[in-house]
Each structure stands twice: as C-alpha cells, then as structure tokens.
Amino acid sequence: MATNRTFTMIKPDAVANGHIGNILAMITNGGFKIVSLKLTQLTVADAKAFYAVHAERPFYGELVEFMSRGPIVAAILEKDNAVEDFRTLIGATNPAEAAEGTIRKAYATSIGENAVHGSDSDENAAIEGAFHFAGREQF
C-alpha cells in the first residue's frame, strides 16, 4: 500500500551550483508539501551508512566521496502516492534520458552528479527519512 510521504536529498552538486531554491520550487509546484527540511553535511561515515546497500557496487567509493564533499538538503515530502510521483518528478538517473520538466533534466550534470535523491519505495522512504531526521515520527 502506497504511503503519502517520501524522502529526498538535494545533492552536493546542486547545492554548490545554487539550485536549492529552484528545486524546492519544482517540488512544491509539483504538489508536494515539505514536512521536514534541513541543510546538513554527511560525514564519510554517514554516507557509507546511508548507501550501505551499494557497498559491493563498483561506484560505491565515488558515491560516498561525492555525497560527503559538501552540504546537502534533506527533506520529507508529503503527497498522495508520494514515492511514485516524486520519482516521476525527478526523472531518470541519467539527465540525458530524463524527461523535459524533471528536476534532473533541469539541474543534473551527469549520471553521478544527478542533483537529487528520491526514495525508491515506501519502505526505503521510511528508513531514509528516519536516518536524516532521527527521533522524529515521520511516517
């Protein structure tokens, strides 16, 4: 059963390039309510823990390095069918394949530096939201 909350991060590339405001505007214009929001920076240990599911993948080291190199914006979003609708809004991982009007088409520079993270399931949204907003009931 689909929940009405999801998790997102505006990644270090988009933060460094000054896209926080434009991305948040796309999110709210897409019908999402921002329930929780914070600017923070992942330590290497945080990035390793958050992306532990990818630890055996060849890109894991680069991903950890990238995600810990600068500030991120973490957010809990609310909308009916939140996970699926947000995945549509962010677009394909590869910005060259992302649809017009998606966040990644507008702000991603490569597959690796793709501007935003969006949870891929209700279960992962709950886990990822709790990771960044520990001690708060999010889902």
Side-chain angles (χ1 to χ4, degrees), residues 8-11 13-14 23 27 51 86-87 89-91 103-104 107-108 113-118:
T8 188
M9 280 188 294
I10 301 175
K11 295 182 178 182
D13 58 317
I23 292 172
I27 290 169
Y51 288 105
F86 192 68
R87 299 290 295 176
L89 179 63
I90 65 176
I103 293 171
R104 287 179 173 155
Y107 300 109
E113 297 193 4
N114 59 21
V116 292
H117 166 87

Side-chain angles (χ1 to χ4, degrees), residues 1 71 73 75 78 83 111 115:
M1 180 173 151
V73 174
E78 186 172 81
V83 170
I111 292 173

Side-chain angles (χ1 to χ4, degrees), residues 4-5 27-28 30-36 76-79:
N4 65 346
R5 289 195 174 173
I27 290 169
T28 58
F32 292 88
K33 176 182 174 187
I34 299 170
V35 177
S36 297
I76 304 291
L77 308 176
E78 186 172 81
K79 179 183 181 189

Side-chain angles (χ1 to χ4, degrees), residues 3 5-7 49-53 76 83 117 119-136 138-139:
T3 64
R5 289 195 174 173
T6 193
F7 172 78
F50 187 82
Y51 288 105
V53 66
I76 304 291
V83 170
H117 166 87
S119 298
D120 62 1
S121 68
D122 292 325
E123 296 76 23
N124 283 338
I127 292 165
E128 293 168 356
F131 182 94
H132 286 277
F133 297 93
R136 296 190 55 193
Q138 298 297 329
F139 289 85

